[in-house]
């Protein structure tokens, strides 16, 4: 069985679909701090498969122990964590507690039950403002906010744990910019309140929830002056986790992989792509740069291509089309979540 923490989240739910579709057994946990039970329900609907779900935090070691004693867990995919750059600046302690201490609690219980296979959800944000692109796993790391720092600190903790006991197999996945949704439109990105990220904001303008997109800066050193990012379809990202599970089971030791397409797109290119698939006009205005933003960021994914035999396959138009399909089918995202009567 694979324990999936943060399983109700955007990337977690899409990864659960791919695991179940590959006939891998999962146990799912989530505290719904940034997700809805609806997504767990819909993962079961998409796959037609049942699995045990527990509403809980990774900080609840008693419940974690219960899960490891009740289920034969062979590996853990750890998504649970807060991920807003701006919120981490105003409330760093919340981020260090949940993202770092939560991971330490999880590792302690894994060690106690001799489960030493872990995939950690990291982020390209650990590269900070890259000196050159494309970014490889050997590129210099350098964080610029507490969220990114929490990810980098966990990466270093996990490296130390592997170095202290080589029985640990640990894969760090550095995600670039995940967007899009499952082709059924049953699961997708469901930000609470005003979306921080570009794509859900563009999508809400397209459907009429929001008036226009604020394009943060058009004076970057890029083709059209707007920020360039490596957008990757969330399903391609999810499949990267499947390949990483296979890698773990080869006793791979400590590995780091960029999960990106290797292709950057500017804000204006994303808006144009979204207008094409939605057939909606998307108004925007140029605003000052957002603090902490970088100009260009895209991956060199060759290590994952070779070592995981994983490639991002979907292009920007398909990412936008699937995001729009999710938006149209779920104008207000998941309904407010119902409290799940967990098994525990
Ligand atoms: C993309 C581009 C903005 C919103 C962040 C985190 C990263 C990961 C993904 C968690 C930039 C521009 C955005 C808007 C805009 N999250 N933009 N108007 O900042 O690259 O990455 O989210 O893992 O860790 O750092 O993503 O979607 O916020 O921004 O012009 O309303 O769109 O300036 O160029 P980002 P983003």
């Amino acid at each position: 069985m694979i324990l999936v923490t943060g399983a109700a989240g955007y990337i977690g739910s899409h990864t659960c679909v791919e695991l179940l579709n590959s006939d891998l057994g999962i146990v799912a946990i989530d505290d719904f701090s940034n997700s809805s039970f609806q997504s767990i329900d819909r993962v079961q609907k998409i796959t037609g498969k049942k699995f045990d779900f527990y509403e809980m935090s990774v900080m609840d070691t008693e419940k974690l122990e219960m899960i490891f004693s009740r289920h034969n867990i062979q590996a853990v995919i750890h998504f649970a964590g807060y991920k807003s750059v701006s919120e981490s600046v105003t409330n760093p302690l919340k981020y260090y507690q949940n993202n770092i201490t939560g991971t330490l609690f999880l590792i302690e219980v894994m060690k106690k039950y001799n489960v030493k296979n872990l995939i950690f959800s990291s982020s390209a944000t650990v590269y900070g403002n890259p000196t050159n692109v494309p970014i490889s796993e050997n590129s210099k790391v350098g964080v610029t906010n507490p969220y990114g720092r929490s990810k980098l600190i966990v990466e270093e903790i996990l490296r130390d744990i592997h170095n202290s006991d080589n029985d640990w197999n640990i894969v760090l996945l550095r995600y670039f910019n995940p967007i899009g949704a499952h082709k059924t439109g049953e699961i997708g990105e469901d930000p609470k309140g005003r979306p921080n990220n570009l794509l859900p904001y563009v999508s809400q303008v397209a459907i009429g929830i929001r008036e226009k997109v604020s394009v943060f800066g058009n004076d970057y050193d890029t083709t059209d002056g707007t920020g360039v990012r490596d957008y990757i379809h969330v399903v391609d990202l999810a499949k990267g986790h499947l390949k990483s599970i296979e890698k773990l089971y080869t006793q791979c030791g400590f590995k780091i992989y960029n999960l990106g397409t290797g292709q950057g797109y500017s804000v204006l290119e994303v808006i144009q792509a979204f207008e094409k698939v939605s057939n909606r006009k998307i108004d925007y205005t140029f605003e000052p740069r957002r603090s902490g933003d970088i100009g260009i960021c895209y991956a060199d994914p060759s290590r994952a291509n070779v070592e995981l035999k994983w490639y991002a396959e979907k292009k920007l138009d398909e990412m936008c089309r699937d995001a729009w399909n999710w938006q149209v089918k779920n104008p207000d995202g998941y309904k407010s979540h119902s409290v799940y009567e967990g098994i525990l």
Side-chain angles (χ1 to χ4, degrees):
M1 299 295 264
I2 298 166
L3 173 62
V4 182
T5 75
Y10 174 44
I11 303 168
S13 55
H14 283 84
T15 301
C16 286
V17 166
E18 299 309 320
L19 294 169
L20 291 164
N21 284 344
S22 300
D23 293 325
L24 291 170
I26 67 168
V27 174
I29 66 172
D30 201 297
D31 65 3
F32 298 137
S33 56
N34 190 25
S35 56
S36 305
F37 172 61
Q38 292 266 356
S39 66
I40 295 292
D41 217 18
R42 296 202 184 166
V43 166
Q44 305 201 46
K45 181 179 168 189
I46 292 170
T47 60
K49 298 195 174 161
K50 292 284 175 210
F51 54 89
D52 286 327
F53 173 79
Y54 301 83
E55 182 179 358
M56 58 175 281
S57 162
V58 288
M59 306 281 270
D60 186 336
T61 47
E62 203 180 312
K63 282 193 178 178
L64 272 181
E65 294 238 12
M66 176 80 88
I67 287 178
F68 278 83
S69 58
R70 181 180 290 187
H71 300 279
N72 175 21
I73 305 292
Q74 280 118 9
V76 176
I77 305 180
H78 182 33
F79 291 107
Y82 298 140
K83 61 163 211 164
S84 164
V85 170
S86 51
E87 186 190 34
S88 78
V89 173
T90 53
N91 190 350
L93 189 55
K94 173 180 175 181
Y95 275 67
Y96 291 133
Q97 275 294 3
N98 191 55
N99 292 7
I100 298 174
T101 310
T103 304
L104 291 175
F105 284 172
L106 174 66
I107 298 290
E108 289 281 0
V109 175
M110 288 178 70
K111 188 163 172 250
K112 182 172 178 178
Y113 286 82
N114 200 32
V115 177
K116 297 184 174 180
N117 292 318
L118 173 67
I119 295 173
F120 174 63
S121 164
S122 191
S123 166
T125 208
V126 301
Y127 295 115
N129 198 349
T131 40
N132 47 44
V133 284
I135 302 172
S136 83
E137 292 84 352
N138 299 320
S139 297
K140 200 165 66 66
V141 292
V143 287
T144 57
N145 58 76
Y147 158 69
R149 193 165 290 110
S150 76
K151 289 295 184 182
L152 190 55
I153 290 169
V154 169
E155 287 196 359
E156 290 310 302
I157 289 170
L158 295 176
R159 185 195 300 273
D160 289 341
I161 287 170
H162 167 74
N163 290 340
S164 72
D165 171 0
N166 288 169
D167 287 345
W168 279 90
N169 299 295
I170 297 171
V171 171
L172 309 182
L173 298 179
R174 290 174 177 170
Y175 309 150
F176 280 68
N177 288 64
I179 64 170
H182 191 266
K183 61 179 182 297
T184 59
E186 289 293 332
I187 54 176
E189 191 169 8
D190 181 26
K192 302 276 178 265
R194 184 194 184 285
N196 288 315
N197 294 140
L198 178 67
L199 213 287
Y201 202 101
V202 167
S203 181
Q204 289 187 8
V205 170
I207 201 155
I209 295 173
R210 304 210 182 258
E211 187 205 342
K212 64 175 180 60
V213 177
S214 300
V215 177
F216 297 136
N218 66 330
D219 57 352
Y220 287 107
D221 184 14
T222 62
T223 46
D224 59 24
T226 62
V228 168
R229 294 292 185 275
D230 184 331
Y231 297 97
I232 175 170
H233 197 294
V234 65
V235 172
D236 277 333
L237 194 67
K239 290 179 175 171
H241 293 74
L242 213 49
K243 291 288 189 180
S244 297
I245 287 285
E246 290 167 20
K247 190 70 181 176
L248 274 184
Y249 291 158
T250 66
Q251 311 305 315
C252 65
F254 182 82
K255 295 285 181 186
I256 302 176
Y257 297 108
N258 287 339
L259 293 189
T261 66
Q263 164 78 47
Y265 288 102
S266 74
V267 175
L268 293 183
E269 285 169 328
V270 170
I271 289 173
Q272 282 147 19
F274 210 92
E275 285 185 323
K276 205 168 106 206
V277 302
S278 64
N279 199 21
R280 301 287 176 90
K281 179 84 185 73
I282 293 166
D283 290 330
Y284 62 86
T285 54
F286 292 122
E287 307 296 336
R289 292 182 178 190
R290 180 172 63 177
S291 74
D293 264 358
I294 58 177
I296 305 181
C297 173
Y298 59 89
D300 167 3
S302 53
R303 184 189 286 180
N305 298 158
V306 171
E307 295 189 15
L308 298 179
K309 297 186 180 50
W310 168 87
Y311 295 80
E313 292 158 2
K314 300 172 188 288
K315 305 294 178 213
L316 184 63
D317 59 350
E318 187 173 357
M319 299 181 210
C320 292
R321 191 164 49 245
D322 290 339
W324 178 235
N325 181 45
W326 152 257
Q327 181 73 71
V328 169
K329 289 183 77 168
N330 304 273
D332 57 355
Y334 299 110
K335 302 284 172 291
S336 62
H337 69 73
S338 56
V339 176
Y340 178 79
E341 297 307 321
I343 295 175
L344 274 181

